[in-house]
Amino acid sequence: MINVEHLTKTFGAKCAVDDVTFSVSKGEVLGFLGPNGAGKSTSMRMITGYLPPTSGTITVAGFNVADQPLEARRRIGYLPENAPIYSDMSVLGFLSFCAEMRGLFGSAKKDAIDRVVQLCFLERVLHQSVDTLSKGFRHRTCLAQALIHDPEVLILDEPTDGLDPNQKYEVRTLIRRMGSEKAIIFSTHILEEVEAACSRAIIIDQGKIVANGTPDELKAQSPFAGNVIVTVGNVSKAQLLPQIEALKGVEKVWIVAEKPEHVTFQVVPRGNVLPELLEAGTRNAWKIEHLDVEEGRLDDVFRSITLPDTKPAA
Amino acid sequence: MKTIWTIAKRELGTYFTSPVAYVFIVIFLFLAGAFTFMVGRFFDRGVADLLPFFLWHPWLYLFLVPAAGMRLWSEELRLGTMELLLTMPVTPWQAILGKYLASWIFLAIALFLTFPIVITVGYLGHPDYGRIFCGYLGSLMLAGAFLSIALLTSSFTRNQVVSFILAVVVCLFLILCGWPPVTDAVSNWAPAWVVDGLASIGVMTHFDSLQRGVLDSRDLLFFGSVIVFCLFANSVVLRAHRA
Ligand SMILES: Nc1ncnc2c1ncn2[C@@H]1O[C@H](COP(=O)(O)OP(=O)(O)O)[C@@H](O)[C@H]1O
Ligand SMILES: [Mg+2]
């Protein structure tokens, strides 16, 4: 559905997007991750045809965005960053304008408006002026605009920015639900959203793609993935450390927390350390209170990829 | 075509949902009347024509048209809705024309509401209606030309005040270029071709000849070229915003 090849955008001497290639097919929800200024919005603006690329090609639903911009745009629903919206209209007036711009008139327009109003929970504010809306409603009104023509492709730039937790949840659920029959790209810097809504994620930093995979694949790249975390109740730190360091399967170990009643340590394994660790526990009569294998958190992956100089905090 | 009208409809709606439009029209009608009757001494002349009425239009438009046009693009830039508008299936031309038409229609409505003065001269004497028509046409074209300038300057900046001032300066230049006091002053020291050149790009020469009831295609062509030039420049500026 969306094909991006060698996309590059420079502003003067600054390279905002640097040779980015990826594709999204129907039924996929692609999470676009990256720190502020990474080039997410710039990429999305090029895909929607707002900014012309410096080089590279983009096709949307088979139409080249540079050559057939109108055909491509007809198939795209776009929520720009910060959800801009005409402030001097009512929600209904705004949606009606957007529907007409998409070629929907008469009963088709009415049906489309009814559908998105329901989808985005706008009944309550339908006749209210956009000026007086709370941020959450403004955002959802702009989102409704992106959905009004039921597009095959959705480009959402930070769709949950500025929403409260309940609204964030609603929008994520909506994205996931629509994901089955559309191709969706949404950008965010909230990592839990990627796990909640995406089938695939791309991490972009300084204009370059630095990671691309399913959320699980990305999590496995965490420097902490596979680490074993154990809480032991009846042994002091001084006794414990030598006992663990003696094990062959232990690459590295450090104390995470030390309290009078128990000690928590984390082990970086070399191979599968669990049987050996449990055996050592039995041998030394540890009172194991808690044992966990870290599956990796996206935060850590994100940090380790986008901040290469910072070592993971021990 | 439908898209242009959709955009124009939204812009017109914007004028009339805020009190600005009504204030604008009232000010326009009040000033047009005040200049005609008090400064232009409409009744004392004892001639049944609208010369004292149209005489002041360039000076009224100098401020009112930039005021009507200053937000057209500035507001889109400020709100960020330009990104929304231009990623819908529209060409920049459709967006420009839609905005331009809406504002021109708005100015035409304001101008149309001066019709009581036509009834007044018709009641008082036997005016030359062809000449009045020419006068209105000239006034509408002048408003259109100034509007295209205001539309262009509003695309330069997100700040409406700056957009307003730029438009006033450009319009003032075009008025002064062909205004007799200025052309007379210039002719004292400049060669004739400079004076003629200035006069021909000035709006006053063309406006005046329409006021005299001469429907010359060159005058219409002049206003038409100003409009086309500014709308074209507008599309170039829009492209530059997105580069
Ligand atoms: N119109 C522009 N002119 C110059 N630089 C820009 C422009 N738009 C974005 N940039 C720069 O490009 C980089 C990427 O910006 P952006 O795509 O907005 O990042 P993100 O959305 O990932 O936070 C930033 O460093 C930003 O300063
Ligand atoms: Mg951004």
Side-chain angles (χ1 to χ4, degrees):
Chain A
M1 270 312 211
I2 308 170
N3 256 302
V4 172
E5 274 166 36
H6 304 294
L7 188 62
T8 299
K9 179 77 189 178
T10 53
F11 293 109
K14 187 172 173 19
C15 196
V17 175
D18 191 358
D19 196 22
V20 163
T21 300
F22 65 88
S23 65
V24 188
S25 39
K26 183 175 163 158
E28 260 193 312
V29 179
L30 178 74
F32 225 49
L33 292 172
N36 281 326
K40 304 183 294 291
S41 301
T42 306
S43 306
M44 293 181 146
R45 288 186 180 129
M46 289 191 282
I47 296 171
T48 54
Y50 182 66
L51 288 178
T54 306
S55 66
T57 53
I58 305 166
T59 49
V60 172
F63 295 99
N64 186 315
V65 173
D67 301 336
Q68 293 171 288
L70 297 193
E71 286 304 320
R73 281 184 215 160
R74 270 188 244 286
R75 288 161 181 83
I76 300 178
Y78 178 38
L79 172 69
E81 192 169 24
N82 303 325
I85 193 167
Y86 291 110
S87 59
D88 45 18
M89 306 178 88
S90 71
V91 172
L92 183 62
F94 176 71
L95 291 179
S96 164
F97 165 70
C98 295
E100 290 185 13
M101 290 297 285
R102 299 292 185 172
L104 298 168
F105 294 91
S107 67
K109 172 170 111 177
K110 192 179 167 301
D111 293 346
I113 293 177
D114 286 348
R115 185 174 54 80
V116 295
V117 162
Q118 209 172 32
L119 219 50
C120 302
F121 309 99
L122 295 171
E123 290 93 347
R124 222 154 50 72
V125 295
L126 204 51
H127 299 283
Q128 202 170 323
S129 161
V130 168
D131 256 350
T132 60
L133 292 183
S134 67
K135 191 161 182 190
F137 274 117
R138 280 177 61 103
H139 230 87
R140 279 183 285 168
T141 305
C142 200
L143 179 63
Q145 159 280 132
L147 303 176
I148 201 149
H149 53 304
D150 198 16
E152 300 163 57
V153 171
L154 269 179
I155 312 284
L156 310 171
D157 201 347
E158 302 194 3
T160 59
D161 182 48
L163 301 185
D164 71 33
N166 291 335
Q167 296 166 337
K168 279 190 164 86
Y169 176 81
E170 296 289 355
V171 169
R172 285 204 295 259
T173 317
L174 184 62
I175 291 175
R176 202 176 42 214
R177 210 169 62 217
M178 292 185 305
S180 55
E181 66 244 34
K182 297 183 194 305
I184 303 181
I185 303 183
F186 82 94
S187 75
T188 180
H189 41 240
I190 303 172
L191 293 148
E192 61 191 32
E193 280 180 355
V194 175
E195 301 196 64
C198 293
S199 53
R200 200 151 56 84
I202 283 179
I203 301 181
I204 172 169
D205 185 32
Q206 297 180 20
K208 289 194 176 67
I209 293 184
V210 287
N212 182 352
T214 65
D216 285 339
E217 284 166 7
L218 290 182
K219 280 194 293 193
Q221 293 184 18
S222 163
F224 301 114
N227 286 7
V228 182
I229 300 159
V230 189
T231 305
V232 180
N234 56 347
V235 195
S236 78
K237 177 179 156 187
Q239 288 172 291
L240 199 56
L241 275 179
Q243 292 174 357
I244 302 168
E245 275 162 358
L247 302 176
K248 278 201 298 296
V250 172
E251 175 86 42
K252 203 173 143 207
V253 60
W254 66 87
I255 302 295
V256 178
E258 190 177 11
K259 295 208 178 111
E261 65 275 16
H262 57 226
V263 178
T264 303
F265 62 90
Q266 185 165 149
V267 169
V268 181
R270 187 188 291 138
N272 189 358
V273 76
L274 271 184
E276 207 185 355
L277 200 61
L278 289 176
E279 196 231 333
T282 328
R283 179 155 29 88
N284 299 310
W286 296 343
K287 188 165 150 245
I288 297 182
E289 292 177 349
H290 188 87
L291 187 144
D292 198 11
V293 178
E294 172 81 56
E295 57 172 309
R297 294 202 321 257
L298 278 175
D299 293 47
D300 299 327
V301 183
F302 186 79
R303 279 174 54 82
S304 69
I305 291 179
T306 57
L307 297 170
D309 331 323
T310 42
K311 287 275 158 281
Chain B
M1 207 44 228
K2 234 171 174 175
T3 310
I4 296 177
W5 179 237
T6 301
I7 294 174
K9 226 170 41 179
R10 198 197 72 74
E11 291 291 342
L12 271 174
T14 303
Y15 279 117
F16 287 103
T17 47
S18 70
V20 177
Y22 304 101
V23 172
F24 178 94
I25 288 177
V26 167
I27 291 180
F28 174 73
L29 295 179
F30 172 78
L31 288 181
F35 279 126
T36 308
F37 292 105
M38 283 137 93
V39 189
R41 311 186 75 81
F42 177 70
F43 289 122
D44 299 353
R45 288 172 72 243
V47 184
D49 69 8
L50 288 180
L51 215 55
F53 167 66
F54 288 120
L55 183 65
W56 301 100
H57 281 200
W59 302 99
L60 282 179
Y61 288 154
L62 174 61
F63 294 100
L64 290 178
V65 174
M70 64 186 179
R71 44 156 277 284
L72 288 171
W73 285 114
S74 302
E75 188 73 352
E76 300 258 0
L77 286 169
R78 191 177 67 81
L79 295 173
T81 44
M82 185 139 117
E83 193 172 341
L84 199 65
L85 181 64
L86 295 183
T87 51
M88 288 180 177
V90 291
T91 62
W93 269 110
Q94 289 171 325
I96 292 169
L97 283 179
K99 281 176 179 289
Y100 182 72
L101 281 182
S103 300
W104 208 5
I105 289 171
F106 172 67
L107 294 175
I109 292 172
L111 186 60
F112 174 76
L113 290 178
T114 60
F115 69 87
I117 199 152
V118 181
I119 297 175
T120 311
V121 281
Y123 176 75
L124 291 176
H126 300 281
D128 176 350
Y129 285 106
R131 193 168 163 187
I132 290 180
F133 173 78
C134 264
Y136 269 106
L137 186 65
S139 179
L140 191 61
M141 292 306 283
L142 180 69
F146 281 7
L147 180 65
S148 68
I149 291 165
L151 183 67
L152 174 61
T153 60
S154 84
S155 69
F156 292 159
T157 162
R158 63 176 58 204
N159 185 329
Q160 293 190 18
V161 177
V162 174
S163 137
F164 172 80
I165 292 172
L166 284 175
V168 171
V169 168
V170 177
C171 294
L172 182 64
F173 174 76
L174 289 186
I175 289 181
L176 292 182
C177 270
W179 198 41
V182 174
T183 37
D184 291 349
V186 173
S187 62
N188 286 337
W189 51 269
W193 63 268
V194 174
V195 181
D196 289 347
L198 275 179
S200 70
I201 64 160
V203 291
M204 288 310 245
T205 340
H206 304 281
F207 183 71
D208 285 345
S209 74
L210 280 164
Q211 295 320 313
R212 285 193 305 273
V214 187
L215 192 57
D216 189 335
S217 57
R218 272 174 307 175
D219 297 321
L220 295 182
L221 199 65
F222 167 79
F223 288 116
S225 341
V226 172
I227 294 169
V228 169
F229 172 79
C230 287
L231 297 189
F232 176 75
N234 198 171
S235 75
V236 173
V237 175
L238 288 193
R239 187 144 3 111
H241 272 298
R242 304 199 277 153

